[in-house]
């Protein structure tokens, strides 16, 4: 027999299959093996086994040994091979995602994180009829191995987690395994508390990037050896070494954190779908605000849609008030606090209730808007907001790179009040502290929290009602569950609305809906005040009505018109290097190369290749970064990635020291 092997080596040079004879050994795809390589011995992974003798010009050597303990399963190598072509990465880069660093602990020395956690769970006496329905439909699919993808669209507190647990229970009953994914490491604790109560901690292993190397390896081993049947964690848990996966659940499926922010820039959803194909397992995507792409797939019938419309305890959703900041200005109020929000805060403080104020920091003073009419400068070709660059004093489109002068008067209403908009959380904290001198104000953002313990102590103070007003970035929007919050304010929704991202409206809808979930968790209805210069944007009307469908129907038309996902992809190819000239030259060369590849098809596809751009504010390992954006029509992605991969090989063969990273549908372009 002959085995195709990928060796453990990060060089592009060895990124290929090597053929070995299996000799006396019994070898399977996924096995870790020791093989002679040149003058050395190295480890590698078997990707394929065949009895046909391949045409090799070299002498075929024999595998020395199989490392049973650290071997993977056949599905994992299949998925890794697929990832190589999907993301234009090396085999070994894909494999490494499945294999933690380190080696097995000495018996008895294993570490188990979250072991001492007190489980908090009591099974509801009855499920709502919506829950019953969801559970029975998903369970049937797990039982019949239908390999379905479900989109569970349920308002906050509709009891989605109960549906997840019942689905997992069904999978275990069938002798299968399960993966439960959450978008944020900080949310894993809550989930484990509930799951441990339901399934027993011994059946659960946790995987995320904040475990120690030892913990991560040991949890991995517990999954691999079948001691734990449920993996819980952030996106890396999708690489759990499980076999026969019955169900994978992605909670808050719309979250940006499911997309890897470092190379390889994989999409957790794609990997989950691919893995489940082998096992005919079921995928459940849960969200109160599904991504537009997922919802479209549900409409098309690619996903099966299940709705949970009722909150299990029927508490009304909060009132959402949209405040027109242009009107405030006309009435002589130039502060960052509208009269209405001010009033709500006062009355909350009077009745000893708490307040959360959100200011999204990402948009700090970098888009231009007219305070008179709300006009925002957008790129006419790409439809996204232009970003101000101080160094050049120009407005730049982060998609196509076109530059525009900063207007002196508003092109729409001729007002001179057109200027940079934005402020950060520090400024908010200052203004709020002086506006409410008797209130205790605290701030939660990446500047104030550098350590997990600080985050915990800020939250603890708030939970203990020592803080009256909590000011923060989107960190405050997620998962906080306090029952004394009467008012939530979004100080400038425009910062999210004008992110240079085709999803900016989707993200605004999600943010407002999510942060609204923080208001009025007790028995009283909460109030949410959203301040904006663009109140007529359809996104806000949908937020006000708590109407996802309404938002979706408008948004999907724009996506279709612009050929943005789900109607096409945006591929960002990044070049980084320590050599500035080389970096520039390579991105120029790539642009020409890519246009050439696409020209031959005679469909005008080459027009989708934008000119290369320099990334400012780049803080990476290499010193310089340039990037090229490509608009790619639906269905062409694989071909485009193939071209990009070939270009990488070209660079490699010339021994050029430039790094290439491919990012499909990137979340931020800066
Ligand atoms: P979601 O994930 O949709 O936001 P959860 O599953 O976290 O909602 O449920 C919210 C709260 O409601 C939890 O405290 C949960 O225990 C409770 N809950 C859910 N379903 C029921 C039910 N059928 N009966 C009683 N309580 C329930
Ligand atoms: Zn104007
Ligand atoms: Zn543009």
């Amino acid at each position: 027999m002959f085995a195709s092997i990928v060796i453990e080596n990060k060089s592009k040079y060895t990124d290929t299959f090597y053929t070995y004879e299996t000799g006396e050994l019994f070898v399977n795809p996924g096995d870790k093996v020791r093989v002679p390589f040149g003058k050395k011995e190295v480890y590698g992974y078997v990707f394929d086994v065949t009895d046909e003798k391949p045409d090799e010009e070299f002498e075929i050597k024999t595998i020395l040994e199989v490392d049973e303990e650290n071997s993977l399963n056949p599905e994992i190598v299949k998925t890794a091979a697929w990832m190589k072509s999907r993301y234009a990465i090396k085999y070994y880069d894909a494999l490494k995602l499945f294999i933690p660093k380190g080696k097995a602990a000495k018996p008895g020395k294993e570490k188990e994180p979250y072991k001492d956690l007190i489980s908090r769970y009591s099974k509801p006496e009855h499920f709502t009829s919506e829950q019953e329905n969801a559970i029975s439909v998903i369970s049937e699919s797990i039982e019949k191995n239908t390999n379905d993808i479900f989109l569970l669209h349920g308002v906050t507190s509709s009891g989605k987690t109960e549906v997840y647990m019942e689905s997992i229970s069904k999978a275990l009953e069938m002798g299968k395994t399960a993966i439960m994914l959450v978008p944020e490491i900080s949310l894993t604790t809550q989930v484990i508390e509930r799951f441990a109560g339901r399934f027993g901690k011994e059946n659960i292993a946790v995987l995320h990037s904040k475990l120690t190397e030892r913990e991560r390896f040991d949890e991995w081993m517990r999954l691999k050896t079948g001691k734990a049947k449920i993996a819980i964690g952030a996106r890396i848990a999708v690489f759990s070494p499980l076999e026969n996966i019955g169900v994978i659940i992605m909670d808050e499926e719309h979250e940006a954190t499911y997309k890897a922010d470092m190379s390889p820039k994989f999409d957790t959803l794609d990997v989950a779908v691919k893995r489940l194909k082998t096992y005919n397992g079921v995928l459940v995507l849960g969200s109160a605000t599904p991504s537009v792409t997922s919802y479209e797939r549900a409409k098309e019938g690619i996903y099966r849609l299940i709705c949970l419309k009722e909150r299990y305890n029927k508490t009304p959703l909060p009132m959402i008030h949209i405040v027109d900041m242009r009107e405030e200005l006309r009435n002589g109020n130039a502060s960052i606090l509208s009269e209405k929000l001010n009033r709500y805060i006062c009355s909350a403080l009077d009745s000893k209730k708490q307040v959360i104020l959100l200011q999204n920091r990402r948009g700090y003073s970098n888009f231009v808007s007219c305070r008179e009419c709300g006009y925002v400068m957008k790129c006419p070709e790409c439809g996204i907001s232009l970003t101000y660059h101080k160094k050049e004093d120009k407005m730049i489109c982060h998609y196509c790179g076109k530059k525009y002068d900063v207007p002196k008067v508003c092109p729409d209403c001729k007002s001179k009040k057109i200027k940079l908009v934005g402020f950060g959380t520090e400024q908010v904290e200052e203004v709020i502290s002086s506006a409410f001198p008797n209130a205790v104000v605290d701030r939660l953002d990446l500047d104030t929290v550098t350590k997990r313990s600080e985050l915990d102590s800020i939250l603890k103070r708030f939970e203990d009602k020592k803080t009256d007003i909590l000011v923060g970035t989107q960190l405050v929007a997620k998962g906080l569950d306090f029952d004394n919050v009467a008012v939530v304010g979004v100080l400038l929704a425009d910062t999210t609305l004008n992110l240079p991202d085709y999803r900016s409206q989707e993200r605004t809808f999600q943010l407002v809906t999510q942060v609204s979930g923080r208001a009025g968790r007790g028995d009283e209805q909460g109030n949410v005040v959203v301040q904006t210069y663009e109140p007529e944007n359809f996104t806000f009307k949908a937020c006000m009505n708590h109407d996802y469908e309404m938002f979706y129907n408008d948004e999907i038309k724009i996506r279709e018109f612009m050929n943005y996902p789900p109607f096409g992809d945006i591929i960002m190819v990044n070049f980084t290097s320590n050599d500035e000239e080389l970096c520039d030259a390579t991105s120029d060369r790539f642009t020409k190369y890519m246009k050439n590849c696409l020209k031959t098809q005679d469909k005008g596809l080459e027009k989708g290749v934008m000119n290369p751009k320099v990334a400012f504010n780049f803080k990476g390992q290499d010193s310089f970064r340039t990037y090229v954006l490509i608009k790619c029509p639906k269905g062409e992605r694989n071909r485009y990635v193939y071209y990009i991969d070939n270009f990488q090989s070209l660079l490699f063969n010339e021994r050029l020291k430039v790094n290439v990273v491919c990012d499909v549908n990137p979340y931020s372009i800066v």
Side-chain angles (χ1 to χ4, degrees):
M1 300 284 275
F2 299 90
S4 305
I5 289 171
V6 170
I7 62 156
E8 274 191 345
N9 188 319
K10 55 182 192 244
S11 159
K12 175 91 185 160
Y13 188 62
T14 52
D15 181 35
T16 182
F17 287 155
Y18 290 92
T19 304
Y20 285 88
E21 250 183 283
T22 59
E24 307 279 280
L25 296 165
F26 188 64
V27 176
N28 279 314
D31 283 352
K32 182 173 183 177
V33 290
R34 193 160 55 86
V35 292
F37 190 79
K39 291 194 174 78
K40 290 186 296 191
E41 283 177 11
V42 297
Y43 280 99
Y45 290 84
V46 177
F47 273 62
D48 201 11
V49 184
T50 146
D51 46 19
E52 249 169 76
K53 189 175 190 313
D55 296 332
E56 278 279 358
E57 47 192 299
F58 304 106
E59 172 209 357
I60 299 177
K61 294 177 182 164
T62 305
I63 297 172
L64 301 168
E65 176 194 40
V66 178
D67 177 356
E68 300 275 356
E69 190 171 44
N70 292 299
S71 286
L72 304 169
N73 69 48
E75 173 263 316
I76 288 179
V77 286
K78 195 162 110 188
T79 302
W82 167 85
M83 285 182 76
K84 175 187 164 66
S85 60
R86 177 90 178 160
Y87 302 113
I89 56 173
K90 297 184 284 260
Y91 286 115
Y92 188 55
D93 288 333
L95 269 180
K96 270 196 304 197
L97 295 165
F98 287 92
I99 315 163
K101 286 202 195 103
K103 48 179 190 276
K106 294 203 181 75
K109 295 275 182 208
E110 298 90 352
K111 287 272 189 296
E112 188 182 332
Y114 301 95
K115 195 175 183 180
D116 304 318
L117 176 136
I118 300 155
S119 60
R120 274 183 242 208
Y121 178 71
S122 55
K123 195 169 174 175
E125 276 168 34
H126 358 252
F127 293 125
T128 64
S129 58
E130 285 181 332
Q131 281 173 324
E132 290 281 7
N133 169 58
I135 293 164
S136 94
V137 173
I138 297 170
S139 300
E140 188 185 335
S141 194
I142 293 172
E143 191 170 339
K144 295 195 174 147
N145 300 315
T146 56
N147 195 216
D148 280 318
I149 302 174
F150 290 96
L151 178 60
L152 182 62
H153 178 205
V155 298
T156 44
S157 286
S158 55
K160 292 187 287 294
T161 312
E162 298 297 333
V163 176
Y164 302 154
M165 287 192 284
E166 290 310 302
S167 307
I168 290 174
S169 161
K170 182 74 200 178
L172 299 190
E173 215 176 273
M174 308 276 305
K176 299 172 191 249
T177 61
I179 302 177
M180 172 75 207
L181 301 169
V182 292
E184 205 97 13
I185 293 166
S186 56
L187 299 176
T188 43
T189 313
Q190 283 177 17
V191 173
I192 301 161
E193 277 172 359
R194 283 171 81 173
F195 275 58
R198 177 75 169 75
F199 298 103
K201 177 66 191 69
E202 67 284 2
N203 287 310
I204 296 168
V206 184
L207 287 179
H208 60 62
S209 57
K210 289 281 149 65
L211 300 179
T212 64
E213 205 176 292
R214 173 83 277 143
E215 288 174 332
R216 190 162 156 191
F217 191 94
D218 295 345
E219 289 292 85
W220 183 80
M221 223 19 152
R222 284 177 61 226
L223 289 165
K224 209 169 84 67
T225 51
K227 286 187 184 127
K229 300 245 178 329
I230 307 170
I232 297 180
R235 64 175 179 252
I236 60 162
V238 79
F239 300 108
S240 297
L242 291 168
E243 250 174 281
N244 200 6
I245 305 168
V247 64
I248 298 181
I249 289 164
M250 276 175 77
D251 191 25
E252 312 284 0
E253 66 91 23
H254 62 273
E255 287 285 354
T257 46
Y258 281 124
K259 171 85 182 288
D261 51 1
M262 285 188 311
S263 180
K265 300 207 172 199
F266 64 88
D267 247 314
T268 308
L269 175 71
D270 287 346
V271 179
V273 170
K274 180 69 189 171
R275 294 199 70 183
L276 287 169
K277 268 217 176 89
T278 302
Y279 304 116
N280 284 317
V282 168
L283 180 62
V284 179
L285 309 172
S287 176
T289 51
S291 70
V292 168
T293 299
S294 291
Y295 206 70
E296 199 270 340
R297 287 188 185 140
K299 293 248 156 170
E300 262 190 67
I302 301 169
Y303 299 168
R304 294 173 66 185
L305 185 64
I306 304 177
C307 293
L308 304 178
K309 296 203 164 93
E310 262 175 33
R311 300 185 116 185
Y312 86 95
N313 59 0
K314 310 221 166 33
T315 321
L317 290 160
M319 273 291 273
I320 298 184
H321 314 264
I322 307 295
V323 172
D324 184 348
M325 291 307 272
R326 299 169 306 189
E327 198 60 42
E328 291 295 312
L329 204 66
R330 276 180 221 132
N331 294 336
N333 175 14
S335 106
I336 58 172
L337 265 192
S338 64
E339 196 268 325
K340 192 167 201 165
L341 181 53
N342 196 3
R343 213 160 7 98
Y344 274 112
I345 297 176
C346 286
S347 81
L349 295 177
D350 280 348
S351 51
K352 297 270 172 274
K353 293 279 181 181
Q354 289 165 292
V355 176
I356 292 178
L357 297 178
L358 178 115
Q359 173 53 23
N360 197 347
R361 235 189 121 74
R362 291 278 312 275
Y364 193 81
S365 282
N366 51 14
F367 66 97
V368 160
S369 137
C370 170
R371 298 196 175 203
E372 203 72 55
C373 74
Y375 168 87
V376 174
M377 262 186 108
K378 292 197 171 159
C379 174
E381 314 253 307
C382 309
I384 63 158
S385 301
L386 300 177
T387 303
Y388 178 69
H389 285 249
K390 202 168 174 182
K391 217 163 119 191
E392 305 176 52
D393 191 31
K394 291 267 191 233
M395 305 298 295
I396 303 182
C397 172
H398 278 195
Y399 276 14
C400 71
K402 289 210 181 74
K403 295 178 187 171
Y404 301 84
D405 287 330
V406 185
K408 299 267 183 308
V409 294
C410 170
D412 253 19
C413 76
K414 310 291 177 240
S415 158
K416 285 193 176 130
K417 288 187 182 150
I418 181 154
K419 50 184 161 188
L420 286 171
V421 172
F423 42 82
T425 40
E426 302 100 322
Q427 203 185 332
V428 177
E429 191 187 13
E430 245 176 68
V431 172
I432 298 296
S433 300
S434 62
F436 306 97
N438 298 323
V440 181
V441 182
D442 219 341
R443 174 155 66 94
L444 178 63
D445 59 26
L446 289 176
D447 295 336
T448 51
V449 272
T450 42
K451 285 193 232 104
R452 175 108 277 141
S453 59
E454 284 177 69
L455 172 73
D456 290 342
S457 70
I458 292 171
L459 293 178
K460 184 88 173 61
R461 283 203 293 275
F462 194 69
E463 191 175 3
D464 294 343
K465 306 195 174 70
K466 288 186 182 134
T467 313
D468 299 307
I469 305 175
L470 182 62
V471 175
T473 54
Q474 60 269 51
L475 277 176
V476 300
K478 282 175 198 157
L480 302 182
D481 200 349
F482 306 120
D483 55 9
N484 196 42
V485 179
V487 177
V488 171
V490 180
L491 292 165
L492 191 63
D494 311 52
T495 46
T496 311
L497 199 57
N498 293 305
L499 285 172
D501 180 358
Y502 68 87
R503 305 177 190 80
S504 63
Q505 296 181 123
E506 171 177 336
R507 291 170 82 176
T508 306
F509 183 82
Q510 287 161 352
L511 183 73
V512 173
T513 306
Q514 206 165 39
V515 77
S516 303
R518 312 297 135 232
R521 290 226 146 193
D523 24 15
E524 276 171 65
Q525 189 184 30
N527 282 290
V528 178
V529 180
V530 180
Q531 307 188 143
T532 172
Y533 288 99
E534 215 186 317
E536 62 283 352
N537 190 298
F538 69 89
T539 309
F540 295 122
K541 292 209 181 65
C543 289
M544 227 157 54
N545 293 317
H546 301 282
D547 193 342
Y548 176 82
E549 192 84 17
M550 182 177 176
F551 167 75
Y552 171 83
N553 287 332
D554 281 336
E555 177 68 17
I556 197 76
K557 285 183 208 134
I558 302 173
R559 298 285 180 93
E560 188 161 20
F561 182 72
M562 299 298 304
N563 282 319
Y564 285 147
F567 302 100
D569 290 308
I570 297 172
I571 303 178
M572 183 187 195
V573 186
N574 293 287
F575 302 90
T576 63
S577 175
N578 283 323
D579 179 343
E580 187 170 11
E581 248 170 70
L582 179 64
C583 202
D584 284 346
T586 310
S587 51
D588 283 343
R589 178 175 165 195
F590 172 73
T591 310
K592 290 198 191 88
Y593 159 90
M594 199 66 193
K595 285 191 172 179
N596 251 332
C597 290
L598 297 172
K599 239 179 220 154
T600 54
Q601 302 281 322
D602 206 26
K603 287 189 204 155
L605 293 179
E606 72 279 2
K607 287 195 209 98
V609 183
M610 308 281 129
N611 288 327
K613 286 173 283 293
V614 176
F616 300 100
N617 311 325
F618 175 58
K619 295 190 197 75
Q621 225 170 18
D622 295 327
S623 320
F624 302 97
R625 193 187 98 186
T626 53
Y627 65 91
V628 175
L629 275 198
I630 307 166
K631 292 179 180 168
C632 164
K634 193 171 182 170
E636 300 277 4
R637 172 174 175 167
N638 288 352
R639 188 156 67 90
Y640 279 46
V641 171
Y642 174 75
Y643 293 146
I644 297 164
D645 197 36
N646 282 349
F647 184 76
Q648 269 178 274
S649 305
L650 241 133
L651 295 181
F652 169 74
N653 290 335
E654 294 173 25
R655 300 274 190 276
L656 293 175
K657 293 213 162 26
V658 196
N659 238 328
V660 184
V661 174
C662 182
D663 189 352
V664 180
N665 301 328
Y667 271 82
S668 62
I669 297 178
V670 279

